[in-house]
Amino acid sequence: MAPKEPIGVIGVGWVGLCTAACFAELGHPVFARDILPEKVESLARGEVSMHEPGLPELVQKNTERLTFTTDMRHVLDNAQLLFCCVDTPPTYSGDADLSRVEAVIADLGDSTDHAIVMKSTVPVGTGRSISRRREELGYVSNPEFLKEGSAVEDFMEPDRVVIGANDGSEGFGDRVATLYEPIGGEIVRTDVASAEFIKLASNAFLATKISFINEIANVCEELGADVNEVARGMGLDDRIGPKFLRAGIGWGGSCFGKDVLSLKQLAGNTGYHFQLLTAVMEVNELQKRRTVGKLQKHLGQLVGKQIALLGISFKPDTDDVRDATSLVLAARLHGEGAHVRAYDPVAGDRARELLVGTTLAGSALEALDGADAAVLVTEWPEFAELDWAGEVKARMATPLVVDGRNFLDREGLRAAGFTYEGIGR
Ligand code: UDX
């Protein structure tokens, strides 16, 4: 068998490590560079600190093909395709902060026979601007569509792989396409700007889909319909599809908020007012806060009330708390004078500094002890498995549950004497 093309990965955060480990698993020698020596050293020992199912195993299994280094020269000497995986957080203006991308470009020095393969989410036009300045470098856009909690699976079984290359870089585009051939999934070849846009438009559309169903849920509550039934009936239409129609207390995570804002700003910078996205964001912010009203409906003033938050991470199977609904909700409840106790199976440590006026509990039962209400924020399976009718009910001061993800057994809880409030039901 012909040797597999070596690849470079620049920036070993969550996207970079998934990319490095998966390409190593596919048989490629991978040279992964990060500027943080401690991170590089622990990864070289096979230690993975982030909670991502299957990822530690993949890193440990492929140590021979994975080189972690702080030395860009070492990467440049060994690989021509350089996957740029540094983060691009929003700035105060809502535009993407490209300083880390720029630092990578600067670190490439005067190299000429390399191509940047951009995995980081960047504004449309970034590739063109980099290529203008660095004509001697190849440039390929290859956005990531990985979901936290299933990133390894998403990488290995993608719905599609998007590869954007302009004139002069098609050869590099072909080489990137070859890397993905063994894993299947339709390969979409486009120009760079369109590839960049596919990423932003996809995330903005997914966020729109959720904000849409959340508004439907809010109207369901007024009209006496059940949003789960409405979503099921809608989702069977091929043109709509069943996914991303789960109503809840709002979307979070590191991507949706930043990408929706980035697209809105990008359009705004051209003089175009992207009205829909303004609403998508506003609906989401209001959705996070609606729980407060639901609690007040049953408890009146929340001053001095004990509220248990079940789940802190922005979704299950991750310890990521970036833009998590729990953070906003905890701060709001604290603002109303409530005593908030929160529990999460894995995200507690990461959230400690961010949870305003909140006590971290060591278990769900501890959080629920003496509580006037439980709010299910994240649908971790262990919360469905609690002995609600027995132990939980005995511990709570008031048997009131706000199920922010329509996740618990509504009928079972009601039969056990709980007051149950879902979303849109
Ligand atoms: C997202 C995109 O899905 C992925 O393609 C991109 O690369 C990164 O951003 P991720 O942030 O991991 O991935 O989260 P995702 O699983 O998409 O969920 C985002 C948020 O939406 C979560 O807070 C989740 O709870 C919420 N959500 C999702 C809903 O409220 N309802 C749904 O129907 C689906």
Side-chain angles (χ1 to χ4, degrees), residues 47-172:
E47 293 163 17
V48 176
S49 61
M50 58 197 90
H51 181 89
E52 182 59 47
L55 187 59
E57 293 80 354
L58 220 53
V59 171
Q60 282 143 22
K61 183 176 160 204
N62 291 289
T63 43
E64 283 189 5
R65 282 194 283 266
L66 280 166
T67 304
F68 295 101
T69 177
T70 52
D71 182 6
M72 184 70 101
R73 193 67 254 165
H74 188 58
V75 179
L76 295 174
D77 287 346
N78 285 286
Q80 287 184 312
L81 298 178
L82 309 172
F83 284 77
C84 179
C85 302
V86 295
D87 58 340
T88 51
T91 60
Y92 284 114
S93 66
D95 298 284
D97 174 3
L98 294 179
S99 57
R100 294 173 185 79
V101 170
E102 291 299 338
V104 169
I105 309 286
D107 281 350
L108 296 182
D110 55 5
S111 61
T112 52
D113 46 1
H114 294 86
I116 297 163
V117 186
M118 189 59 74
K119 272 223 167 283
S120 307
T121 304
V122 292
V124 182
T126 303
R128 190 172 44 210
S129 138
I130 292 174
S131 292
R132 273 195 196 133
R133 280 179 286 144
R134 298 296 303 264
E135 281 175 347
E136 70 288 4
L137 289 172
Y139 190 95
V140 178
S141 168
N142 174 220
E144 57 86 12
F145 298 99
L146 308 177
K147 299 185 289 299
E148 292 186 23
S150 59
V152 172
E153 197 183 314
D154 290 345
F155 192 100
M156 292 299 191
E157 293 163 37
D159 289 342
R160 78 317 206 172
V161 173
V162 174
I163 298 174
N166 290 344
D167 292 350
S169 283
E170 292 98 338
F172 285 116

Side-chain angles (χ1 to χ4, degrees), residues 297-298 374 393 398-402 413-414 416-421:
K297 185 172 109 187
H298 296 282
K393 184 144 183 263
T398 324
L400 168 62
V401 174
V402 178
L413 281 168
R414 285 194 176 147
F418 277 87
T419 303
Y420 174 96
E421 284 273 354

Side-chain angles (χ1 to χ4, degrees), residues 144-146 148 199 210 244-246 251-252 255 314-315:
E144 57 86 12
F145 298 99
L146 308 177
E148 292 186 23
K199 166 68 191 218
I210 305 172
F244 272 69
L245 283 181
R246 275 181 291 114
W251 43 264
C255 290
F314 83 99
K315 66 175 190 179

Side-chain angles (χ1 to χ4, degrees), residues 14-15 52 121 143-150 154 160 199 202-203 206-207 209-211 213-214 242-256 259 284 313-316 318 320 323-325 377-379 404-405:
W14 175 77
V15 172
E52 182 59 47
T121 304
E144 57 86 12
F145 298 99
L146 308 177
K147 299 185 289 299
E148 292 186 23
S150 59
D154 290 345
R160 78 317 206 172
K199 166 68 191 218
S202 298
N203 271 359
L206 291 170
K209 213 172 169 189
I210 305 172
S211 281
I213 201 68
N214 282 341
K243 293 184 182 162
F244 272 69
L245 283 181
R246 275 181 291 114
I249 45 176
W251 43 264
S254 65
C255 290
F256 281 0
D259 292 351
N284 198 51
S313 60
F314 83 99
K315 66 175 190 179
T318 175
D320 196 339
D323 220 357
T325 297
V377 183
T378 318
E379 62 276 38
R405 302 285 172 190

Side-chain angles (χ1 to χ4, degrees), residues 16-32:
L17 190 59
C18 290
T19 303
C22 289
F23 277 132
E25 173 72 7
L26 293 171
H28 296 272
V30 177
F31 297 85

